Amino acid sequence: MSTKQQIILLAHGSSDQRWCDTFEKLAEPTLTSVAGSRVAYMELSSPSLQDVVAEGAARGIRQFTVVPLFLAAGRHLRKDVPAMLEELEHNHSVSIKLQPPVGENPELGQAIRHVVEKTLSDS
Amino acid sequence: MSTKQQIILLAHGSSDQRWCDTFEKLAEPTLTSVAGSRVAYMELSSPSLQDVVAEGAARGIRQFTVVPLFLAAGRHLRKDVPAMLEELEHNHSVSIKLQPPVGENPELGQAIRHVVEKTLSDS
């Protein structure tokens, strides 16, 4: 990974801090493993996607990859986020690649199976 | 697992079939591995949570465990779902246990790390 690329884990955001706490815990293994990766929020929580891209661009990053911490793509990922990214690319002269939501990766389905099996063995 | 217990994987639901397709794929490893497990939707999609509990109760199931296919708990999981479950328990004389959202399990954080590492190695 080039030091000029940054991974952004994008969560929705909420006025409820407990919501964000869960996403920060979810992101922790990635943040520990992937140098320079950050969490950012679409709305209601900080840091915002706009702030994280602006900070990265100010440090010379020209390529961002956004990995949505969403299980599936709804209106936000199909419309709102692409529009936000297009504006950010224009404003900061950077390139931003939007990945599919993490829930579309088979790894998540396997993890869910493990969670359910653990639930059953504990009950 | 007793044959009189059923796992329900609860997703939000959407008018967009692609949303549901993603949840059905996410659920597939669990549905294959855990006998009798089902997907149900809170709203907008079918089968509804109400229908799945009614069908199970009609087949003699008295205990249900609901595993939310949500990354974090917001208003739905803190308020709406518990109210729905209380009503279903009353209407069908069954017991329904609500588990934390799958995103609160560390397995999901590790799966997300793998997804991001794969994204980087592919790019």
Side-chain angles (χ1 to χ4, degrees):
Chain A
M1 176 183 170
S2 154
T3 54
K4 297 293 179 197
Q5 184 184 331
Q6 183 173 31
I7 290 283
I8 299 175
L9 299 176
L10 180 68
H12 184 276
S14 166
S15 55
D16 186 339
Q17 184 56 40
R18 293 171 297 182
W19 171 278
C20 300
D21 291 346
T22 302
F23 280 97
E24 274 150 38
K25 274 189 205 143
L26 264 174
E28 203 173 289
T30 306
L31 302 182
T32 304
S33 157
V34 179
S37 56
R38 298 278 307 269
V39 172
Y41 295 95
M42 257 193 75
E43 57 188 32
L44 300 168
S45 303
S46 71
S48 68
L49 179 59
Q50 286 82 355
D51 286 349
V52 169
V53 172
E55 286 166 24
R59 287 187 294 110
I61 292 164
R62 288 290 162 261
Q63 284 193 27
F64 297 85
T65 298
V66 171
V67 178
L69 299 185
F70 286 66
L71 287 178
R75 181 180 48 81
H76 283 318
L77 290 182
R78 293 188 195 284
K79 301 207 166 172
D80 304 339
V81 172
M84 288 166 81
L85 297 184
E86 197 177 341
E87 191 179 341
L88 287 166
E89 285 185 313
H90 176 78
N91 291 351
H92 297 287
S93 304
V94 296
S95 165
I96 311 179
K97 190 170 174 185
L98 179 60
Q99 293 290 320
V102 291
E104 288 186 9
N105 191 294
E107 282 263 0
L108 275 280
Q110 294 298 337
I112 289 167
R113 176 171 70 85
H114 294 154
V115 171
V116 174
E117 287 171 347
K118 183 76 172 40
T119 298
L120 286 168
S121 68
D122 290 349
S123 67
Chain B
M1 176 184 168
S2 155
T3 54
K4 295 296 178 192
Q5 183 186 331
Q6 185 173 29
I7 290 283
I8 300 175
L9 300 176
L10 180 68
H12 185 275
S14 166
S15 55
D16 185 340
Q17 185 56 40
R18 294 172 295 182
W19 171 276
C20 300
D21 291 347
T22 301
F23 281 97
E24 274 150 39
K25 273 189 206 144
L26 263 175
E28 203 173 288
T30 305
L31 302 181
T32 304
S33 159
V34 178
S37 57
R38 299 278 307 271
V39 172
Y41 294 96
M42 257 192 73
E43 59 187 32
L44 301 168
S45 303
S46 73
S48 69
L49 179 60
Q50 286 82 354
D51 286 349
V52 169
V53 171
E55 286 166 23
R59 288 187 293 110
I61 292 164
R62 289 290 162 261
Q63 286 192 26
F64 297 84
T65 298
V66 171
V67 178
L69 299 186
F70 286 66
L71 287 179
R75 183 179 49 81
H76 283 319
L77 289 182
R78 294 187 196 282
K79 301 207 167 173
D80 304 341
V81 172
M84 289 167 80
L85 297 184
E86 197 176 341
E87 191 179 341
L88 287 166
E89 285 185 313
H90 177 78
N91 291 351
H92 298 287
S93 304
V94 296
S95 165
I96 310 179
K97 190 171 174 185
L98 178 61
Q99 293 290 320
V102 292
E104 289 187 9
N105 190 294
E107 282 262 0
L108 275 281
Q110 294 298 336
I112 289 166
R113 176 171 68 86
H114 295 153
V115 171
V116 174
E117 287 170 348
K118 184 76 171 42
T119 298
L120 286 169
S121 68
D122 290 348
S123 68

